[in-house]
Amino acid sequence: MNLRQLEAFYLVIKRKSFTRAAEELNVTQPAVTIQVKSFEKSLNLKLIQQVGKRMQLTEAGELLYQYAEKIFELVSDANEKMRDFKKLMRGTLQIGATKNYARYIMPSLLSEFQRRYPRIKVILDEGNSEDMAKSVLEKKNELALISQLNLDRKIKSLFFSTVEFVLVASPEHRFSQRKSISLRELNGESVILREKGSGSRAAVLRKFQEYGIWPSVIMEASSLDFIVGYVKQNKGVSFMFEPDIKEELEKGTLKVISLEEGNIIFFTDLIYHSEKSLSPPSEAFLKMVKELKKELVPPLP
Amino acid sequence: MNLRQLEAFYLVIKRKSFTRAAEELNVTQPAVTIQVKSFEKSLNLKLIQQVGKRMQLTEAGELLYQYAEKIFELVSDANEKMRDFKKLMRGTLQIGATKNYARYIMPSLLSEFQRRYPRIKVILDEGNSEDMAKSVLEKKNELALISQLNLDRKIKSLFFSTVEFVLVASPEHRFSQRKSISLRELNGESVILREKGSGSRAAVLRKFQEYGIWPSVIMEASSLDFIVGYVKQNKGVSFMFEPDIKEELEKGTLKVISLEEGNIIFFTDLIYHSEKSLSPPSEAFLKMVKELKKELVPPLP
DNA sequence: GGATTACTATAAGTTTTTTTTATGGTATTA
DNA sequence: TAATACCATAAAAAAAACTTATAGTAATCC
C-alpha cells in the first residue's frame, strides 16, 4: 500500500473534493486524481464512486478511510512530537560530571538551563574524569564536565574554567610550621593521590613531572573522605579543592600549605563526542555554556 | 513527513539492520541508507546513532519508532481488510428485487450465494421494477432483479428467466363459465392493474397495445392483497402470477381464465449500472447467476 | 594480528514515480 | 444557455527513488 496514495485518497474524502485535497497537498488537481486512481488500481478495488456530482465511498473505501483517519492522526501527532524535540519542548539532557563539578559547578549551570528550557529533563551522571570521558565515547552521556585529561581524538572539548588545588597537611606535619614550601621539598614525601582516572590526580602528577620531583605515593583512593581522614592522621599530604575541606580548615584539623611555585591549577572542560551531532538539549547546553563563559569570564586581550 | 522514509526507518530498527530492512522493502541497501538519512535531514533530528557496530535510537528516534509501529500495524491491518474485500471474505451485497422476485426467486439465489460466500452480508431491497431501476441508477443498489421495462441507457441488463402471468377472475365472472377467451374480449372489460412502475403492469399494457385492445382500467393498486380481494368481489379481472394465488385457486375463490393468445409472458432481468464497476460481491453474484442460468436453462439452439 | 566477514556510507548514473501543463468533459447554477 | 466549478486524461517535465560500484569500518576468525 502506497501511503502517498492513501493520503491523497484520505484528503479527497476529508475535504470532499479533489481540488481542495490538491491544495492541501500542495500539488495540482490532476496529481490527486491520478494518485487516487492508481491507488484503486493497485488495490484492485473501487473506493470512491461518483453519484452525479456527489462522491460516495464504497464499502471498502469507507473502511479504508477509517484506517486512514487513524493513520494520519498518528502521523501528525508524531510530527508534532518531533517538532517539540527540535523546539526543546521535549527531551532529555544527559550529562556527566565529576563529583566536584557536580557539587560546585553543575547546580548553577543546570538551574539556568532548566530556567531556559523547563520542559527538558536533566539526567546528571557522576564519575571521575576518565569514566566520564569514556561515557562520552560510548555515547552514554553526550556531554561531560571534567578535568583536563589526555583525551581520545574523538572527543572535543570546550574550556570552561580553571580550578585550583592546594597542598594540604595535618597541623602536626612539619610543613605546617612553615610559611610556605617549595615543590621540590615534596621529593620523597608521603603523598596521597586520587585514583587513576581522576582529572585532579592527572594534574598533580603533571605538576610533579614538570618539576622533576618524585614523591612517594603511599596511597591512592577515590574517596575524598578517606583521603581527608588519612591526611588528618598525618599519614601523608595531599592536594585538594579548598571548598571541599572548608570545615576541617575552620576547625584547624587540616592546614593549607602555601607553595612557592603556586597552587596546582588545571582546567575544567566541557567535553562531547566529535563525530556525533549533539541532541538539541546538548546543543542548547553547550551554547548556553559558551554564552555564560563570555559573560562571566571576559576573554583576556 | 515522508512515509516511505518513515517505513525505511521503521524497518531498519525493527530488523536491526539496514541490509535486512532493504530485503524486506525489496530494494538495495543503499536505498535504505539514503532514505533514512534524508528522513533525518528533513526532520532536522538525528534518529539513529551508531555506537560501534550497534545501532541505537536517540530519544526522538525512540518515540518516532513507537509511532511507526502503530502506524504500520494499522497499514498492514488495512491491507488485510482490503484483501478480504477482494477475496469476498468481507463486504455486502446490496441487491434489489420486486416483491414477486423477492419471494419466488431470490431465496434460492441468495441461499446459494451465501453458501458460496458465507462472509458476505446480503441486503435485499424491495420495490417495484421502476423503483429498483432507479435505485440502480442512483447507485443505492448495485444489482436488481426486475421485470423487463424500458430502461435508461445507463443500465445494463442480463436476461434471467421468463415469468407467466395468467388472467384471473372471480368464479362469478362471466369468463369463468368459458373454456377460454380471446384477448379481444377484454376490450371494455373492467381490469385492475398494478401501479405505475410495476414491470408486470408494463408487460400487461404492452400486450394490450400489441393486440390493439383498450380495457377499462378501473383500479390501479400496488398491493397484491388488495387486488386479490377486489377480483374476488368480482369488481374486475386482473393478471397475476399463479403461485401468488395458489390458496385462492384451491379454495375456488378465484379462477384462472385461459387465453387463446396464450398467457402474458415477460422477462426477468438482472440489472446493473453500466458505468460503475461492480463491487466484488455484486460481481460474484452476477457471475453466479450466469452460471446457474447456464445449468438450469440450457440455451436453445 | 592480519585476513575475512558482514555490515553501512557515498557517489554517479539510471529508472521510476510523481507532478505539471494543457485541455476536454460534465454536472450544477445563474 | 451560458457560466461555473468541478474532475478526467494525455503528454511532457520534474522530482524522487533506486541501482551499481565501491569505499569504509567494526567484529570475528584462524
Side-chain angles (χ1 to χ4, degrees), chain A residues 17-19 29-30 33 37 53:
Chain A
S17 153
F18 283 70
T19 307
Q29 166 266 313
T33 298
K37 284 250 170 299
K53 186 135 179 132

Side-chain angles (χ1 to χ4, degrees), chain A residues 285-298:
Chain A
F285 188 86
L286 192 60
K287 193 164 149 262
M288 184 190 84
V289 165
K290 283 179 186 169
E291 261 177 58
L292 294 180
K293 208 180 65 175
K294 217 176 288 173
E295 279 173 35
L296 301 173
V297 190

Side-chain angles (χ1 to χ4, degrees), chain B residues 17-19 29-30 33 37 53:
Chain B
S17 152
F18 282 70
T19 307
Q29 166 268 312
T33 298
K37 284 251 169 295
K53 182 130 182 138

Side-chain angles (χ1 to χ4, degrees), chain A residues 148-279:
Chain A
Q148 202 182 31
L149 268 181
N150 287 327
L151 295 169
D152 190 296
R153 248 176 288 94
K154 284 182 182 163
I155 289 185
K156 277 193 183 175
S157 66
L158 172 74
F159 165 71
F160 177 65
S161 69
T162 55
V163 179
E164 240 183 80
F165 262 44
V166 294
L167 178 60
V168 175
S170 154
E172 268 101 69
H173 196 278
R174 56 187 170 89
F175 286 169
S176 297
Q177 319 309 323
R178 306 271 302 279
K179 199 162 191 171
S180 69
I181 66 158
S182 158
L183 259 178
R184 268 165 258 286
E185 295 180 56
L186 284 175
N187 237 330
E189 187 67 32
S190 293
V191 166
I192 302 160
L193 289 183
R194 289 282 305 279
E195 85 285 3
K196 278 203 175 73
S198 157
S200 57
R201 170 201 167 101
V204 168
L205 288 177
R206 218 178 297 120
K207 195 83 171 182
F208 289 171
Q209 202 163 19
E210 187 185 328
Y211 286 85
I213 56 177
W214 302 99
S216 90
V217 177
I218 57 158
M219 178 70 65
E220 296 189 355
S222 58
S223 160
L224 180 66
D225 289 336
F226 173 83
I227 298 176
V228 165
Y230 222 60
V231 173
K232 273 189 194 165
Q233 291 172 41
N234 203 15
K235 298 274 171 61
V237 299
S238 191
F239 289 87
M240 292 178 182
F241 184 50
E242 253 190 282
D244 273 344
I245 49 168
K246 200 168 153 247
E247 274 184 33
E248 284 80 1
L249 293 176
E250 278 167 1
K251 287 191 216 149
T253 52
L254 284 179
K255 282 260 180 177
V256 169
I257 314 297
S258 287
L259 283 170
E260 285 160 14
E261 291 84 356
N263 290 327
I264 293 183
I265 290 174
F266 55 93
F267 303 125
T268 303
D269 289 322
L270 186 62
I271 62 168
Y272 51 95
H273 201 290
S274 63
E275 282 169 6
K276 177 181 180 299
S277 74
L278 294 176
S279 70

Side-chain angles (χ1 to χ4, degrees), chain B residues 25-279:
Chain B
L25 286 165
N26 290 312
V27 295
T28 57
Q29 166 268 312
V32 174
T33 298
I34 293 167
Q35 290 292 40
V36 173
K37 284 251 169 295
S38 43
F39 191 35
E40 288 183 329
K41 204 165 166 187
S42 77
L43 291 174
N44 215 338
L45 277 174
K46 254 206 139 352
L47 300 171
I48 300 176
Q49 44 187 130
Q50 228 65 32
V51 179
K53 182 130 182 138
R54 182 134 214 85
M55 65 176 74
Q56 190 184 303
L57 286 171
T58 63
E59 221 181 338
E62 188 69 60
L63 186 61
L64 193 53
Y65 180 71
Q66 288 168 22
Y67 274 99
E69 271 186 316
K70 289 188 207 148
I71 289 168
F72 292 110
E73 193 180 320
L74 282 171
V75 169
S76 109
D77 229 54
N79 248 321
E80 205 173 305
K81 295 286 189 294
M82 293 303 109
R83 272 195 298 273
D84 283 353
F85 277 112
K86 253 339 259 182
K87 290 188 305 181
L88 294 162
M89 298 295 282
R90 168 182 284 269
T92 305
L93 175 71
Q94 176 87 38
I95 191 167
T98 62
K99 217 172 199 164
N100 255 321
Y101 298 151
R103 183 165 168 193
Y104 295 106
I105 302 183
M106 293 309 275
S108 59
L109 286 179
L110 289 179
S111 78
E112 171 62 9
F113 184 77
Q114 292 216 306
R115 194 190 60 73
R116 295 187 182 193
Y117 311 109
R119 311 291 278 270
I120 303 293
K121 182 177 158 191
V122 175
I123 297 180
L124 177 61
D125 188 21
E126 206 184 284
N128 71 35
S129 296
E130 191 171 296
D131 290 344
M132 290 300 99
K134 208 166 119 197
S135 79
V136 167
L137 259 181
E138 286 169 353
K139 296 174 187 175
K140 206 181 131 225
N141 291 311
E142 290 193 65
L143 299 174
L145 199 60
I146 64 169
S147 297
Q148 203 181 31
L149 268 183
N150 287 328
L151 295 170
D152 191 294
R153 246 178 288 93
K154 284 183 182 163
I155 289 185
K156 278 192 181 173
S157 66
L158 173 75
F159 164 73
F160 178 65
S161 68
T162 55
V163 179
E164 240 182 80
F165 262 42
V166 294
L167 178 62
V168 176
S170 153
E172 268 99 70
H173 196 279
R174 56 186 169 90
F175 287 169
S176 296
Q177 318 309 323
R178 306 269 304 278
K179 203 163 187 165
S180 67
I181 68 159
S182 157
L183 258 178
R184 271 167 255 285
E185 296 180 56
L186 283 176
N187 237 330
E189 188 67 31
S190 294
V191 165
I192 302 161
L193 288 184
R194 288 283 305 281
E195 83 285 4
K196 277 203 176 73
S198 157
S200 57
R201 170 199 168 102
V204 168
L205 288 177
R206 218 178 298 122
K207 194 84 173 183
F208 289 170
Q209 203 164 16
E210 187 184 331
Y211 285 86
I213 56 178
W214 302 98
S216 93
V217 176
I218 57 154
M219 176 71 63
E220 296 189 356
S222 58
S223 160
L224 181 65
D225 288 336
F226 172 83
I227 298 177
V228 165
Y230 222 62
V231 174
K232 273 188 193 167
Q233 292 172 43
N234 202 15
K235 299 274 172 58
V237 299
S238 192
F239 289 87
M240 292 179 183
F241 184 50
E242 251 190 285
D244 273 345
I245 47 168
K246 201 169 153 248
E247 275 182 32
E248 284 80 1
L249 294 176
E250 278 167 1
K251 285 191 220 149
T253 54
L254 285 180
K255 282 257 179 183
V256 169
I257 313 296
S258 287
L259 282 170
E260 284 163 14
E261 291 84 359
N263 291 327
I264 294 184
I265 290 175
F266 54 93
F267 302 124
T268 304
D269 289 321
L270 186 62
I271 61 169
Y272 50 96
H273 201 292
S274 63
E275 282 169 7
K276 177 180 181 301
S277 74
L278 294 175
S279 70

Side-chain angles (χ1 to χ4, degrees), chain A residues 31-188:
Chain A
V32 174
T33 298
I34 293 168
Q35 289 292 39
V36 173
K37 284 250 170 299
S38 44
F39 191 35
E40 288 182 329
K41 203 167 168 187
S42 78
L43 290 174
N44 216 338
L45 277 173
K46 252 203 140 353
L47 300 172
I48 300 176
Q49 43 186 129
Q50 227 66 33
V51 179
K53 186 135 179 132
R54 183 133 214 86
M55 65 178 73
Q56 189 184 303
L57 285 171
T58 63
E59 220 181 342
E62 189 68 62
L63 186 62
L64 193 52
Y65 180 71
Q66 287 168 22
Y67 275 99
E69 271 186 317
K70 290 188 207 148
I71 289 168
F72 291 109
E73 193 180 320
L74 281 171
V75 169
S76 111
D77 229 56
N79 249 320
E80 204 173 307
K81 294 286 190 294
M82 294 301 109
R83 273 195 297 274
D84 283 352
F85 276 112
K86 255 334 260 185
K87 291 189 303 181
L88 293 161
M89 300 294 282
R90 170 182 284 266
T92 306
L93 174 71
Q94 175 87 38
I95 190 168
T98 62
K99 219 173 200 160
N100 255 321
Y101 298 151
R103 183 166 168 192
Y104 295 106
I105 302 183
M106 293 309 274
S108 58
L109 285 179
L110 289 179
S111 77
E112 171 60 12
F113 185 77
Q114 291 216 305
R115 194 189 60 73
R116 295 185 182 195
Y117 311 109
R119 312 291 279 270
I120 302 293
K121 182 176 158 193
V122 175
I123 297 180
L124 176 61
D125 187 21
E126 205 184 285
N128 71 35
S129 296
E130 190 172 298
D131 290 344
M132 289 301 98
K134 208 167 121 195
S135 78
V136 167
L137 259 181
E138 286 169 352
K139 297 173 186 173
K140 207 183 131 224
N141 291 312
E142 289 195 64
L143 298 174
L145 198 61
I146 62 167
S147 299
Q148 202 182 31
L149 268 181
N150 287 327
L151 295 169
D152 190 296
R153 248 176 288 94
K154 284 182 182 163
I155 289 185
K156 277 193 183 175
S157 66
L158 172 74
F159 165 71
F160 177 65
S161 69
T162 55
V163 179
E164 240 183 80
F165 262 44
V166 294
L167 178 60
V168 175
S170 154
E172 268 101 69
H173 196 278
R174 56 187 170 89
F175 286 169
S176 297
Q177 319 309 323
R178 306 271 302 279
K179 199 162 191 171
S180 69
I181 66 158
S182 158
L183 259 178
R184 268 165 258 286
E185 295 180 56
L186 284 175
N187 237 330

